[in-house]
């Protein structure tokens, strides 16, 4: 209701104002209601004083000046019912079964923030207004502001707006509710036919202490070390032959404001529930009996210390939203915020002095038979027998009688790389616009470097060459498609996956291979301190890959369970149907099937991987970040210069994959039990302006224009959906094309009505184009986003990668000219693009409807 009219802002004017300064609903303006608090959030530029003043006036009105006009309440009632509808499904049904057990006999168990459908349909206006008057008051309120502003000025605005809010007379008491304790173990077993995975969890509940003293802060570090070491043991178990679970985790968190929880959780095969639960119990008991080893503690301490160093180095690039979140936690829970300058040396001192005996006590303190809840969630299907509460009790009892041996560590000694390669020299250097440097190596590799100071300790990169899985036959497509993930998880050189993780302890260096339809390459990141390790990993990924049969079997087993349950998820069926229609059922664009698993072949995958990386002569590497070129040069020459060049000339192959099936294609999918529908409308076709920045942005601008209009009409005026999105995706391989998608969920009975309204708004754009104010708002948003993007390493890497792979704009000119291109966007060209690209004779419409039509 805060967006539907306040004392100083009529309906829609708040959003109009925010959009006029380049912000958008969701990212720049939003609100969120949790169980214990409500947030209102504004993000805006700080370069205009009047805009800042207006923003604080908006906050003031939200705090005390919401109008609650009767017609607006009824309008918003429809929207929130659609929000409720959108949340229905397997996840919601499972949650409704387990929350009353976890929070047994407490008010928290009775109602989640959105409430029930009956209440949403029937609440009285006076109840809503009473709630606002009771709880939206200054003694329960905080205002937090973070940004590049004049502090005194912002403080003045806050005082001007908030000091005059009167204190309430006889305020209603805000009670603190607790979660009753229980001696016995509780069980929550929840199955659902639409659930795809199986999870077993052990919850140990205890009151949140919110101890933010120095001593409490130290204890939290002790607990973090415990969780990190136990999680490492779980990781080792998950990659052993015939593992007891697919993944497991040990963590402590807040369940609700007054209640904390320690959780042991495992994702398991649906036929291995008991085995997974027993493994969680045994591993935690192993620690309780024998503790961790000194080597494990030192390894985790090293990792923590390295993370602290990098966080401190990058402290000046921390986002405003991150600071605001920390301040919010401080207000709500008392979290201390002394700052990294104080915290970093304190944490280092703690890490040096925390003993193994202290860490070993953590689990003994957390784990108890009382206040324990065992939670099992699993698919519901024919032939699958789910353990009963009695079965789970027997597993708990039997685990305590197991013969448990002490943990035995396995570590592979020696350096990451036994012999440093000779490499080859840089043969040419080219300085390009936008601060780019281009090197050519003797082995043919091109290296592009973009030094930045956005983060003081971050370097990210990508290396690629043309080819990919497009070069293999359909018969070998599955081994090619699965090659990079299988080989990446097998380790490198003489180190398997877990040995490699241990070897990289304390190093900030990550390199992963990837093979796409049209490329092969590596990507990753590293700290300036660990650059040599990053380059060694690049070299090893490309020259000394491994193929691990155990990993292959694990991946195949996990994929089998995922595929078997895929069709039970309505959203998956919906997306599979859309992709089938979009790509005209192309054999390379099929959803995974059990038959595809039969075609997986580790030997073929390994051979394909080695072939793709056997010739690096056509590779381009792009590095962006806080780099010193003089320090980069010897590493580039040594490791990239040593990659093989066989002189092979090749490019990717056009397989005929197209996204324009032609004509009007409509299909209805019936899946799911809930009274809700999802609809996707897609306009597709060829686009020959993929490299022309002005043409590109003239097309891209149509998506937010249409989304803003549809938000006003479909959501606000008609109350037909909680959220409607429009996205424009431009694809340039194998040919330039566009895909514009419109997505919304709704009451199944209103799909046709809402679809007609959508086409009506598109028709309006076709006939009249956008209003100048609409276009100006979206252009301002583009420009504001661009300001932020130009300070992000990831953005530069993505854009440079596109330019170099396409072989166009081999410098930063197109990136730097973006703002100028946006300013050329005009209403006439935008109208022309609506006419051309939103073709009413050429689109796909897929609608997901319940299995049974609503009566």
């Amino acid at each position: 209701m805060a967006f539907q009219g306040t004392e100083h802002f009529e309906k829609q004017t708040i959003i109009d104002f925010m959009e006029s300064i380049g912000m958008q609903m969701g990212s720049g303006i939003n609100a969120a209601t949790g169980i214990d608090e409500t947030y209102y959030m504004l993000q805006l530029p700080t370069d205009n004083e009047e805009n800042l003043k207006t923003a604080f006036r908006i906050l003031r009105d939200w705090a005390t000046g919401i109008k609650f006009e009767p017609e607006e309440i009824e309008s918003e009632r429809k929207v929130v019912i659609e929000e409720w509808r959108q949340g229905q499904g397997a996840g919601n049904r499972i949650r409704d079964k387990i929350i009353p057990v976890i929070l047994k006999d407490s008010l928290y168990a009775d109602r989640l923030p959105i409430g029930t459908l009956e209440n949403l349909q029937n609440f009285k206006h006076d109840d809503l207004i009473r709630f606002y008057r009771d709880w939206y008051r200054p003694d329960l309120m905080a205002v937090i502001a973070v940004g590049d502003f004049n502090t005194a000025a912002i403080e003045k605005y806050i005082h001007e707006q908030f000091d005059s809010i009167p204190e309430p007379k006889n305020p209603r008491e805000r009670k603190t509710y607790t979660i009753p304790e229980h001696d016995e173990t509780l069980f929550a077993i929840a199955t659902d036919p639409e659930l795809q995975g199986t999870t077993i969890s052990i919850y140990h509940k205890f009151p949140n202490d919110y101890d933010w003293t120095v001593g409490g802060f130290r204890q939290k570090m002790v607990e973090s070390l415990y969780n990190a070491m136990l999680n490492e043991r779980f990781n080792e178990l998950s990659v052993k032959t015939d593992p007891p679970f697919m993944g497991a985790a040990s963590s402590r968190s807040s369940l609700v404001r007054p209640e904390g929880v320690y959780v042991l959780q495992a994702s398991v095969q649906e036929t291995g529930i008991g085995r997974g639960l027993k493994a969680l119990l045994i591993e935690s008991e192993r620690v309780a009996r024998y503790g961790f080893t000194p080597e494990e503690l030192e390894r985790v301490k090293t990792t923590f210390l390295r993370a602290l160093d990098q966080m401190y180095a990058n402290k000046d690039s921390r986002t405003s939203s991150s600071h605001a979140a920390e301040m919010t936690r401080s207000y709500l829970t008392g979290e201390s915020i002394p700052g990294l300058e104080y915290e970093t040396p304190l944490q280092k001192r703690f890490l040096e002095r925390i003993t193994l005996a202290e860490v070993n006590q953590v689990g003994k303190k957390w784990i108890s038979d009382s206040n324990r809840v065992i939670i099992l969630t699993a698919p519901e299907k024919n032939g699958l027998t789910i353990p009963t509460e009695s079965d789970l009790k027997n597993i708990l009892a039997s685990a305590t009688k197991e013969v448990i041996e002490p943990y035995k560590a396995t570590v592979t000694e020696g350096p990451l790389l036994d012999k440093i390669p000779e490499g080859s020299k840089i043969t040419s250097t080219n300085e390009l616009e936008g601060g780019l440097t281009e090197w050519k190596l003797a082995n043919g590799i091109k290296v592009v470097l973009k030094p930045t100071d956005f983060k003081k300790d971050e370097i990210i990169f990508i290396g690629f060459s043309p080819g990919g899985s497009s070069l293999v036959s359909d018969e070998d497509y599955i081994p090619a498609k699965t090659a990079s993930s299988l080989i990446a998880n097998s380790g490198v050189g003489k180190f398997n996956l877990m040995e490699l993780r241990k070897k990289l302890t304390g190093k900030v260096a990550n390199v992963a291979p990837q093979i796409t339809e049209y490329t092969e390459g590596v990507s990753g990141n590293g700290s300036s301190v660990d650059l040599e390790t990053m380059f060694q990993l690049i070299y090893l990924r490309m020259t000394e890959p491994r193929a691990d049969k155990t990993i292959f079997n694990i991946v195949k087993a996990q994929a089998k369970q995922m595929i078997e349950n895929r069709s039970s998820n309505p959203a998956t069926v919906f997306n599979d149907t859309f992709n089938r229609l979009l790509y005209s059922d192309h054999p390379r664009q099929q959803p995974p099937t059990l038959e595809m698993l039969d075609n997986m072949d580790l030997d073929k995958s390994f051979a394909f991987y080695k072939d793709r990386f056997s010739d690096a002569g056509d590779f381009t590497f792009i590095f962006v970040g806080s780099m010193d070129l003089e320090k980069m040069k010897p590493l580039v020459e040594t490791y990239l210069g040593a990659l093989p060049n066989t002189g092979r000339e090749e490019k990717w192959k056009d397989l005929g994959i197209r996204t324009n099936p032609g004509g009007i294609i409509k299909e209805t999918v019936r899946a799911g039990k809930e009274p809700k529908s999802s609809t996707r409308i897609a306009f597709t076709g060829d686009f020959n302006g993929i490299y022309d920045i002005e043409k590109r942005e003239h097309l891209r601008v149509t998506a937010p224009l249409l989304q803003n209009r549809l938000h006003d009409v479909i959501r606000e005026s008609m109350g037909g959906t909680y959220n409607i999105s429009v996205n424009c995706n431009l694809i340039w391989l194998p040919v330039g094309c566009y895909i514009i998608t419109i997505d919304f969920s709704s009451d199944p009975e209103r799909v046709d009505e809402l679809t007609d309204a959508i086409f009506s708004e598109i028709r309006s754009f076709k006939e009249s184009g956008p209003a100048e104010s609409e276009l100006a708002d979206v252009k301002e948003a583009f420009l504001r986003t661009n300001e932020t993007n130009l300070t992000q390493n990831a953005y530069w890497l993505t854009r440079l990668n596109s330019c170099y792979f396409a072989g166009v704009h081999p410098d930063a000119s197109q990136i730097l000219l973006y703002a100028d291109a946006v300013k050329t966007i005009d209403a006439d060209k935008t109208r022309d693009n609506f006419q051309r690209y939103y073709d009413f004779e050429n689109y796909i419409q897929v609608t997901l409807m319940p299995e049974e039509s609503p009566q």
Side-chain angles (χ1 to χ4, degrees), residues 1 16 132 156 160 201 203 209 212 279 304 323 382 391 571 588 672 733 800:
M1 290 307 302
D16 289 345
Y132 180 68
K156 179 184 176 183
E160 288 175 349
S201 307
Y203 278 45
D209 56 22
W212 293 107
F304 276 37
H323 283 290
N382 293 333
D391 295 331
R588 297 285 181 106
L733 283 179
L800 289 171

Side-chain angles (χ1 to χ4, degrees), residues 353-613:
R353 299 176 184 178
I354 290 173
T355 66
L356 190 60
E358 288 180 88
V359 181
N360 288 339
Q361 291 300 312
V362 170
K364 296 176 183 178
K365 176 184 174 183
W366 281 346
I367 296 174
S368 169
D369 292 346
S370 61
N371 298 310
R372 179 171 65 179
V373 183
I374 307 297
I375 301 169
L376 167 60
T377 63
E380 181 182 309
K381 60 183 184 180
N382 293 333
L384 178 62
T385 301
I386 301 298
T388 64
E389 181 176 320
S390 177
D391 295 331
L392 297 178
K393 284 181 178 179
N394 290 335
I395 293 170
L396 292 176
S398 66
T400 61
K401 302 173 184 178
E402 288 285 326
V403 176
I404 302 174
E405 299 293 334
Y407 169 78
K408 294 180 181 178
T410 56
V411 179
T412 299
E413 300 295 338
L416 187 62
L417 192 60
D418 286 326
K419 183 180 179 181
I420 304 300
E422 292 184 7
S424 62
K425 295 297 182 180
I426 295 170
T427 58
S428 66
T429 299
N430 193 11
E431 302 294 337
L432 303 173
E433 185 178 352
L436 301 186
T437 298
E438 197 174 86
W439 290 336
K440 188 77 171 180
L441 288 164
N443 62 353
I445 290 176
K446 180 184 292 183
V447 181
V448 183
L449 306 105
K450 167 65 177 174
T452 70
D453 59 1
F454 309 143
K455 285 191 174 183
K456 301 301 182 185
D457 192 20
E458 179 186 77
I459 297 174
I460 59 178
F461 79 92
I462 189 167
F464 60 84
S465 79
S469 59
S470 68
L471 301 183
V472 301
S473 64
D474 288 347
E475 180 184 353
D476 292 330
Y477 175 60
I478 297 303
K481 184 178 181 180
T482 56
S484 58
S485 61
L486 288 171
I487 307 308
N489 286 304
S490 295
V492 292
K494 60 188 176 185
F495 301 94
N496 66 26
L497 179 62
M498 291 309 303
E499 292 166 344
L500 181 61
R501 287 180 181 174
K502 292 176 182 178
K503 190 66 187 175
L504 295 175
T505 297
K507 303 289 187 182
V508 181
N510 301 283
V511 177
Q514 62 268 325
I515 299 174
T516 69
E517 200 81 59
Y518 304 108
T519 68
E520 60 272 343
V522 290
S523 62
N525 67 283
S527 161
S528 55
V529 177
D530 301 312
L531 273 183
E532 183 151 19
T533 300
M534 184 182 78
F535 276 96
Q536 288 182 349
L537 286 171
I538 294 172
Y539 180 79
L540 287 168
R541 287 291 188 196
M542 296 181 68
T543 63
E544 295 186 38
R546 291 169 56 100
D548 191 318
K549 188 68 174 178
T550 297
I551 294 294
F552 175 79
N553 291 333
I554 291 171
V555 170
K556 193 170 182 178
Q558 292 177 357
K560 182 175 184 294
Q561 177 167 308
M562 183 273 291
I563 291 171
E564 286 177 340
N565 296 330
R566 256 181 129 259
S567 61
S568 65
N569 186 308
T572 300
V573 177
F574 173 72
N575 286 318
D576 285 350
T577 301
F578 174 76
N579 287 330
R580 173 174 58 80
L581 299 175
L582 179 67
Y583 293 105
S584 303
D585 213 19
H586 193 281
R588 297 285 181 106
Q589 297 292 329
Q590 298 295 311
T593 63
L594 292 175
E595 291 72 20
M596 290 181 182
L597 288 185
D598 293 336
N599 290 328
M600 288 181 66
D601 186 312
L602 183 59
D603 291 335
K604 284 187 175 182
S605 291
F606 193 43
F608 175 73
Y609 183 99
K610 289 192 294 184
D611 174 71
R612 287 295 82 214
F613 291 101

